[in-house]
Amino acid sequence: MHEELENFERNHVWDLVEPPPNCHRIGTKWVFKNKQGENRMVVRNKARLVAQSFCQKEGIDYEETFAPVARVEAIRILLAFAASKGIKLRQTDVKSAFLNGFIEEEGDRMYKLRKALYGLKQAPRPWYARLKSFLLKSGFVMGSIDKTLFLLIRGGDTLIVQIYVDDIIFGGSSHALVSSFAEQMSREFEMSLMGELQFFLGLQIKQGPEGTFIHQAKYTRDILKKFEMGDSKPMMTPMSTNTALDADEDGEAVDQNEF
C-alpha cells in the first residue's frame, strides 16, 4: 500500500482541491492480489487503489474508452517471425502504468485527478496514448493494421515492440538496439520484471536455438484443479470418437458457460 501511494505522489496523480457545488464524486477501494509465475509460485504481492467505475457517468466523467490491445493471434505471429529471424524476445511491464496517462476530463471530487486511475473506464486510453506518443517520438513506426505493434529500423537492424496494456514484448536483431530501448523505457517509466519472454497471456514460451515452443501447461493444471480432476489419469483419447451424445433429459442442469 505504501508503494502504491508513493507511486501516486511520484506521478502527481491528483491535486487536493475544494469540491465545487453539486460535484459528482467517484469512490475508490483497495484491491489486493498475488501475481503468480508459470510455476504457480507467487512472484509479487500487489496492492492497488482503484476507482469504483460503477459510479462514473458517461458524458460527464468520460467520453471515449477504447484502447487497442494485442490479440493472441498477433503474439503467435510475432513469436513465429522472431524465431525465423533468430531474434530472442524479452518482456517487461510498466509499474502502475495507468498512473502515467493524462486524463482530459475534468473531475469534480475532493482529489482532482491529473492522471488516469485504475478502475476508471477511460484509464487504458490515456495510457495507450502516452506510450504511443513516446514510441513515435523515439522513431518507431506504428503498424498500419495492428496498432499495438511498433517497429524501429536503424541501419540494417530492426527492433520490434508489441504492447498489451502495461505488458510489453520487445526484441531486435542488434543487442545494442535492444539495450538502448530498455534504458529509454526505464528513464521514461518505472519498469519491472524485465527479462526473457517466458509467460504471456496464458502462453508459456520457451525460446532456444532449435526454435520457439509454446504450451499451456499452467492453464491446463488450473482447469484440472478447478474441476477437481488434478489426480485423474491422463489418456491420449479421453473417450471414443464415435460416441453419439444425446441430451440427458433427467440430468442435473449445469452452467454451460463453464464448459
Side-chain angles (χ1 to χ4, degrees):
M1 293 173 66
H2 291 294
E3 182 181 354
E4 178 79 347
L5 294 175
E6 286 172 359
N7 283 332
F8 277 41
E9 184 176 349
R10 183 166 47 251
N11 287 286
H12 195 177
V13 172
W14 49 32
D15 292 317
L16 185 61
V17 298
E18 291 295 328
N22 301 319
C23 68
H24 178 230
R25 302 177 183 179
I26 299 174
T28 59
K29 64 180 180 179
W30 283 100
V31 175
F32 302 94
K33 184 178 180 181
N34 293 328
K35 189 168 185 177
Q36 296 182 339
E38 59 177 310
N39 58 0
R40 299 177 64 186
M41 297 291 291
V42 175
V43 297
R44 188 181 176 192
N45 296 316
K46 303 176 70 174
R48 178 157 287 154
L49 185 65
V50 302
Q52 295 177 300
S53 59
F54 63 84
C55 298
Q56 288 187 275
K57 297 180 180 179
E58 187 173 2
I60 298 177
D61 300 308
Y62 66 93
E63 296 291 344
E64 297 289 337
T65 62
F66 174 76
V69 292
R71 295 171 59 89
V72 174
E73 295 85 351
I75 303 300
R76 293 174 68 95
I77 293 173
L78 175 61
L79 290 169
F81 175 80
S84 70
K85 299 297 183 182
I87 295 175
K88 178 159 287 192
L89 295 173
R90 297 167 63 84
Q91 68 182 132
T92 186
D93 69 359
V94 182
K95 282 187 177 181
S96 302
F98 288 177
L99 303 187
N100 291 281
F102 293 93
I103 59 174
E104 299 177 355
E105 296 84 359
E106 287 289 336
D108 299 327
R109 41 184 78 86
M110 293 297 291
Y111 279 100
K112 181 180 178 181
L113 290 176
R114 300 182 70 254
K115 303 285 188 69
L117 189 67
Y118 280 87
L120 291 176
K121 293 181 183 296
Q122 71 269 38
R125 186 177 178 87
W127 158 241
Y128 170 79
R130 170 83 189 279
L131 181 56
K132 181 181 77 170
S133 175
F134 170 74
L135 293 174
L136 294 178
K137 287 180 181 178
S138 300
F140 283 84
V141 176
M142 184 171 62
S144 58
I145 297 177
D146 186 351
K147 304 301 183 182
T148 64
L149 181 67
F150 295 82
L151 297 176
L152 176 66
I153 299 177
R154 291 277 173 83
D157 292 317
T158 302
L159 179 66
I160 310 168
V161 173
Q162 182 93 57
I163 61 176
Y164 184 88
V165 192
D166 57 351
D167 290 311
I168 300 172
I169 299 175
F170 64 99
S173 55
S174 163
H175 177 72
L177 204 57
V178 171
S179 298
S180 175
F181 172 72
E183 291 174 4
Q184 279 184 294
M185 289 292 292
S186 296
R187 286 196 299 268
E188 185 72 13
F189 309 105
E190 188 174 0
M191 312 299 294
S192 65
L193 300 176
M194 190 173 291
E196 182 179 332
L197 177 63
Q198 295 180 334
F199 190 74
F200 198 82
L201 293 184
L203 300 176
Q204 290 171 257
I205 302 157
K206 180 175 177 58
Q207 303 177 84
E210 66 280 8
T212 298
F213 298 89
I214 306 173
H215 63 96
Q216 291 186 289
K218 179 182 181 298
Y219 174 77
T220 304
R221 288 195 298 267
D222 289 344
I223 291 293
L224 292 173
K225 180 180 179 181
K226 177 179 179 180
F227 292 99
E228 300 179 353
M229 296 178 64
D231 296 327
S232 299
K233 182 179 179 182
M235 299 288 291
M236 293 296 294
T237 307
M239 63 184 297
S240 172
T241 57
N242 298 322
T243 301
L245 299 178
D246 297 318
D248 185 358
E249 301 294 345
D250 300 323
E252 183 180 348
V254 299
D255 181 2
Q256 297 183 24
N257 293 323
E258 288 191 8
F259 300 93

